[in-house]
Amino acid sequence: MSPVASAVAAGVLTVHTAVNARLLRVPPSAEPVAELVSVLLPVRDEVERVVPCLSAVLASVALPHLEVIVYDDASTDGTAELAGGMADRDGRVRVVHGSTVPVGWLGKPHACARLADAARGNVLVFIDADVTVAPDGIARTVGLLRATGLDLVSPYPRQDAHTLAERLVQPLLQWSWLALLPLRLAERSPRPSLSAANGQLLCVDTAAYHRAGGHTRVRDHVLEDIALLRAVKAAGGHGVVADGTDIAYTRMYNGWPALRDGYAKSLWAAGGNIGASAGQVGVLAWLFVLPAIAMMRGSRAGLAGYVAAVASRVIAARRTGGRAWPDALAHPLSICVYGYLTALSWIRRLHGTATWKGRRV
């Protein structure tokens, strides 16, 4: 496997990253939203996050018609009581209580389906408890949905990363679709493979949601956000990931154990089967690890490939509010950690030991 070919391919992806960085849709300035907007929050044992998340949503501007529905998924840590207290103080908030997840469903799709059933708005905005939105964030998200004529938009929140493990892995989230997904083609193409979304902040037209079958259609999907976008596309709709850097932020995982377990529960689903996952990791290693190894052996082609990889990461970081330096220099190591997490995810999947929030997935 020639480092020259790897370097050329990495260079092409760097150019593609730069093009996508310019094409990435940005939510417009906030304007008053005339229609009813339903903000839907599924929670399970989020006692430290539910109040900050809800407080930020309730501080939203330009949303004269807003309902906020919380689905408490059998929390045991006081989450339900905190959410209920906020509902008592603000009439825009309702709490729906859940218990058993039906056979054939995973927990989050079931929670989201229950939320959608309870919603009355023309627009559904799903948000995770670890996300904090800016005061104009939801209005701008709805504005993007309507201005583009799309059926689903997913503004990607800024991903805060603090520990070494987080800084190695989390930047790969935005980098992956900026580098690898042709954004303008993706938003209009019905191809399932050209789909990227993030359930941390996802806005969908209510009618389009129901035409697609909603979360009932994706009831057993670990990556229910991407699956929902694919269902919308299959029903004739369109959608795409967008820039959420200025409208929301999140810290998904706090340290290595949480990060490891979070990715181990879901990365197997990104490939769909072991062969596809191995192929994905293999291509990434060929593109970004092989040049670095060749560089250390004195190869100029390897150096060029490594520089291209770092440049791609820098472009993605600067476009999405991430840390460019020195983190981008460790891109080959990031790919290696991603490969390890993918392998671990499949091991746990095959042994039936993959869990999340106390449930098997």
Side-chain angles (χ1 to χ4, degrees), residues 69-131:
I69 309 175
V70 181
Y71 181 82
D72 175 62
D73 191 4
S75 296
T76 60
D77 64 348
T79 297
E81 290 76 11
L82 289 176
M86 297 198 73
D88 291 340
R89 295 188 295 273
D90 193 313
R92 295 173 294 176
V93 180
R94 286 186 285 146
V95 179
V96 177
H97 296 281
S99 54
T100 304
V101 177
V103 175
W105 287 78
L106 292 179
K108 186 175 181 183
H110 180 248
C112 290
R114 290 285 306 276
L115 284 164
D117 288 343
R120 297 177 292 114
N122 298 324
V123 181
L124 308 178
V125 180
F126 294 92
I127 185 170
D128 281 357
D130 57 4
V131 173

Side-chain angles (χ1 to χ4, degrees), residues 115-247:
L115 284 164
D117 288 343
R120 297 177 292 114
N122 298 324
V123 181
L124 308 178
V125 180
F126 294 92
I127 185 170
D128 281 357
D130 57 4
V131 173
T132 301
V133 293
D136 62 352
I138 294 175
R140 292 181 63 190
T141 297
V142 176
L144 178 65
L145 182 79
R146 295 313 189 201
T148 58
L150 296 170
D151 300 284
L152 183 153
V153 294
S154 181
Y156 222 98
R158 187 181 78 246
Q159 303 289 320
D160 287 350
H162 300 283
T163 66
L164 176 61
E166 295 168 63
R167 290 169 63 179
L168 280 172
V169 177
Q170 291 304 96
L172 294 179
L173 293 174
Q174 291 104 320
W175 169 82
S176 61
W177 48 261
L178 275 172
L180 304 173
L181 183 70
L183 291 177
R184 283 292 186 267
L185 177 61
E187 70 181 40
R188 294 296 174 183
S189 171
R191 292 182 63 85
S193 59
L194 296 179
S195 301
N198 185 349
Q200 290 176 324
L201 181 58
L202 188 150
C203 176
V204 59
D205 176 80
T206 302
Y209 174 85
H210 289 297
R211 280 197 303 271
H215 282 87
T216 300
R217 179 77 175 271
V218 301
R219 69 187 72 182
D220 58 350
H221 286 254
V222 174
L223 300 176
E224 86 295 330
D225 41 15
I226 298 174
L228 180 63
L229 174 55
R230 289 172 176 169
V232 167
K233 287 185 173 187
H238 305 284
V240 75
V241 69
D243 180 22
T245 304
D246 295 332
I247 65 175

Side-chain angles (χ1 to χ4, degrees), residues 46-56 82-83 86 89:
E46 298 285 4
V47 69
E48 296 181 356
R49 292 170 162 174
V50 65
V51 170
C53 178
L54 279 175
S55 297
L82 289 176
M86 297 198 73
R89 295 188 295 273

